[in-house]
Amino acid sequence: MAGTGSFLGGVHPPEGKQYSEHQAIEVVPTPKQVMVLLSQHLGKPCEPKVAKKDKVTAGQMIGSVEAFVSAPVHSPVNGTVKDITLAPHPVIGRTMAIAIDTDPADNTPKRPAAERFGRDFRPEQYTAQQICEAIAQGGLVGMGGAGFPTRVKVEPNPAMPKDTLVINGCECEPFITCDYRVMLEWTWQVMAGIRLAARASGCSKVLIGIEVNKPDAIRVFEQAAAELKDAFKMQVVPLRTKYPQGGERQLITSILGKQVATGGIPPAIGICVLNVATCAAIAEAVVLNQPLTHRVVTVTGRAIARPGNYYVPVGMSVADLIEHCGGLTETAAKVIFGGPMMGPAIADLSQPITKTSGAVTLLTAEDVTRAKFEKRQTACIRCGRCLAACPEHLNPTRIAHAIKYGRLDVAENYYMAACIECGCCSYVCPANIELTGYIKTGKLQKARAAKKLG
Amino acid sequence: MLSKITVTPAPHISSKLSTQTIMLDVIIALTPAIGAAVIFFHDRALVLIGSCVLACLWTERICNWIRKQPSTIGDLSAVVTGIILALSLPPAMPWWAAVMGGAFAIAIVKVLFGGLGGNIFNPAMAARAFLTACFGVLMTTWTAPATIDAAMPQMGPMQTEAITQATPLAWAKMAVKKETSTETLKAQLSKTFWGNEGGCLGETSALALLVGGAYLLWRKTITWHIPLTVLAAAAAFSAVFYFIDPSRYANPLFHILSGGMLLGALFIATDPVTAPLTSKGMLVFGAGVGALIMLIRIIGEYPEGVMYAVLVMNALAPLIDRAFKMVPAGGIPNVK
Ligand code: SF4
Ligand code: SF4
């Protein structure tokens, strides 16, 4: 069964990619200090492996933990450990982090490695085990979203054999363009990563999903795929431009016409999904032995002087990054850690960039007013728009209102757990109810209650 | 600079829709019907629509004061209720009765049930039921549009101003009994379509209602589910009777175009607050409304059934929603 290139539900927010889509990836100068969070992945947080005043070098492993679902962290710079302390985390509030003062004498910024990869790259030089090991050592996590450790995804699992590798090049979130630039500028590095991942996971089929609003990326990848004569089939699948096309579950439906069961995971139906930036990181980790310490971050919106795509050390603060981009404009009103649909708004700009943060979006007072405050909130008029927009086919208003009135049991009965927090329901709601906000709160309450019991 | 930075939950952008724009769309869609009412009933239409809308707005404002809430009239939902109530009143209705209806719709049916979104029953239809209960005679005194040439047979002697006239539905019930020729029936049908027809303010022109309904569908303010199922169910129901005995029962097209059927299918049953949320639920709801309308028209005592049909299905809407729960995209999870 093949997919239709789309899924049921979803919304069409304004794309807003024009601010940064034509800006080539730019290397930022090394900041004076970086703050490397010890929890940048889904799973158990790392423990620090260095002490205060220790000298560290770029790429050195500075935190890790013994757990299956985990990924070590590395220093992006040469310098000295200044402190091991609490730092802001966009989702869980605060978490431990290692603060490193960079060595002013030795702070040439790391450059992207794309030119080291070409069409003649041969993935056969590496065994599946070598590849998995390098991915694990490099601290790779899914760079498009939740930050699931890549090793766990790629490594063959006899209980759930994988046959299809789906590459996520959708970048459906409005404003963000980092994956798009990576696809255009680092095409062969991404290709190398894809081929390594296919080899390691044992997948015989590779499908690359790209939204049709990125015709350049589709063309480049189609050409590249045609030039390679790999043992597995590699195919570029153009997908309808719709949010959240890049949601893992939606992507699988669009490309393959298959549905991941509620509460299930893609490997259960033989699928492994990787984001393009993650593939680029795989190539770097396996071939060059370089861990994930830098990533491309889109800084965008109307409230920033120089929007663009920047090659940023993981751990650089949002404030430093904004400063490098010319600073906020007078009208800045909201700083979003990520894109406008899913990214949390932050007030503390000392927030460090993480492995999963693809963007910092700066909205003006006007943007914010237009979106939220100008239209007063009313009661739910039961119009059903949130139901129609929900890509997981839930009943957002029922769930959100149950949570509002303290009925977690009712919310669960309406499958609160299946919500992917995409924000489509809040986006369409004419009554301007923060449906997604309520549902996130409900999930947190549920998690807390479960912790108390367990 | 930091002090100006706000933090709210994601998403940080939203569609252009608001409750107000949706209500405004409904008002826009009702303008052809309002226009038709004004053309056919002149100042009667203006007086009734005006008194209903003002009564609804003032009642809502007063309720806001009493409950010490900020004003909610800006969401325009009271205006919609007022217009729909007025359009479902007979033109001879005195203005003070219309005002009572409007006040009842807002104060009792809407605010007492929790205000916008909380009411179980469509306020306009519940108010109409209230008026029928209070002023039965007024509610069934139909006036032909002032422009009518009294061409319809079997109607009483011409009065000077307003002709007391049976609605086409009552007339159809009567006419078939008296074996009127098919030509007269056809003439009646075309009148129903273009307007110039006895009945409530908003029932006179099917064309005006269809134009408004098309606008709502085009704007995606309503979906096809409810209107289509109401009309399909009504057509199917009446077709059965028509085929059994065409001489006793009016044909389906006539039923669909006449009376409050279109107003009900396009503007009343589609009231989101009192209809089910899920699309499957909407299909059941619409089919129920359509079938009940015909049941009342053909078998029941009243010539017109939209009001009761909608009210009955309103009461069932929560049950329908519970019966047709959304199935998650990945299916119902095995373990909860
Ligand atoms: S309920 Fe969850 S999955 Fe559905 S639209 Fe809202 S945020 Fe997205
Ligand atoms: S979109 Fe908003 S108003 Fe419409 S049903 Fe959902 S919560 Fe209610």
Side-chain angles (χ1 to χ4, degrees), chain A residues 166-206:
Chain A
V166 172
I167 304 300
N168 191 348
C170 291
E171 199 158 58
C172 59
E173 175 87 36
F175 288 80
I176 306 191
T177 55
C178 58
D179 284 355
Y180 173 67
R181 292 314 304 185
V182 165
M183 284 191 277
L184 286 192
E185 295 178 41
W186 301 358
T187 316
W188 287 108
Q189 183 179 344
V190 174
M191 274 298 186
I194 295 173
R195 295 159 78 196
L196 288 167
R199 189 168 161 75
S201 60
C203 290
S204 55
K205 204 161 79 179
V206 177

Side-chain angles (χ1 to χ4, degrees), chain B residues 38-126:
Chain B
V38 172
I39 289 172
F40 298 127
F41 298 106
H42 304 310
D43 50 334
R44 286 306 305 151
L46 290 175
V47 168
L48 283 181
I49 295 172
S51 28
C52 282
V53 170
L54 287 177
C56 286
L57 283 174
W58 273 103
T59 312
E60 181 142 324
R61 192 71 192 86
I62 291 167
C63 289
N64 290 152
W65 272 322
I66 294 172
R67 304 174 78 206
K68 298 196 171 55
Q69 290 169 329
S71 166
T72 53
I73 57 176
D75 64 33
L76 297 180
S77 61
V79 177
V80 172
T81 301
I83 297 176
I84 291 191
L85 174 61
L87 291 183
S88 63
L89 292 178
M93 198 79 183
W95 65 269
W96 49 265
V99 168
M100 277 181 67
F104 182 87
I106 300 297
I108 309 291
V109 190
K110 187 168 153 190
V111 174
L112 271 192
F113 279 89
L116 180 68
N119 49 303
I120 298 171
F121 295 105
N122 181 300
M125 285 301 101

Side-chain angles (χ1 to χ4, degrees), chain A residues 380-387 397 401 428-431 433 435, chain B residues 277:
Chain A
C380 167
I381 55 169
R382 296 172 42 89
C383 66
R385 282 180 176 75
C386 52
L387 282 75
T397 174
H401 286 90
V428 292
C429 178
I433 301 171
L435 297 161
Chain B
L277 267 172

Side-chain angles (χ1 to χ4, degrees), chain A residues 88-233:
Chain A
H89 185 286
V91 183
I92 55 179
R94 311 216 118 216
T95 183
M96 290 306 282
I98 299 176
I100 301 168
D101 281 335
T102 44
D103 178 358
D106 191 7
N107 65 356
T108 337
K110 177 173 182 275
R111 300 197 51 78
E115 63 265 26
R116 318 243 321 240
F117 295 90
R119 64 207 70 206
D120 49 1
F121 173 73
R122 292 174 50 78
E124 298 78 24
Q125 326 161 43
Y126 304 92
T127 66
Q129 215 194 333
Q130 277 174 326
I131 299 171
C132 290
E133 202 45 42
I135 290 173
Q137 294 300 322
L140 268 59
V141 300
M143 290 165 77
F148 198 75
T150 307
R151 197 263 312 257
V152 184
K153 272 190 175 180
V154 170
E155 207 165 48
N157 175 351
M160 295 178 183
K162 295 182 269 277
D163 59 10
T164 311
L165 178 62
V166 172
I167 304 300
N168 191 348
C170 291
E171 199 158 58
C172 59
E173 175 87 36
F175 288 80
I176 306 191
T177 55
C178 58
D179 284 355
Y180 173 67
R181 292 314 304 185
V182 165
M183 284 191 277
L184 286 192
E185 295 178 41
W186 301 358
T187 316
W188 287 108
Q189 183 179 344
V190 174
M191 274 298 186
I194 295 173
R195 295 159 78 196
L196 288 167
R199 189 168 161 75
S201 60
C203 290
S204 55
K205 204 161 79 179
V206 177
L207 298 166
I208 306 170
I210 305 175
E211 279 188 345
V212 289
N213 65 348
K214 301 172 197 63
D216 295 350
I218 295 179
R219 189 174 38 78
V220 166
F221 271 78
E222 266 171 355
Q223 272 170 11
E227 281 180 42
L228 295 172
K229 300 265 181 309
D230 271 312
F232 46 80
K233 279 191 287 181

Side-chain angles (χ1 to χ4, degrees), chain A residues 382, chain B residues 120 274-276 285 312-322:
Chain A
R382 296 172 42 89
Chain B
I120 298 171
T274 53
F285 177 86
V312 168
M313 292 312 288
N314 282 169
L316 292 177
L319 286 180
I320 296 176
D321 261 342
R322 219 158 293 166

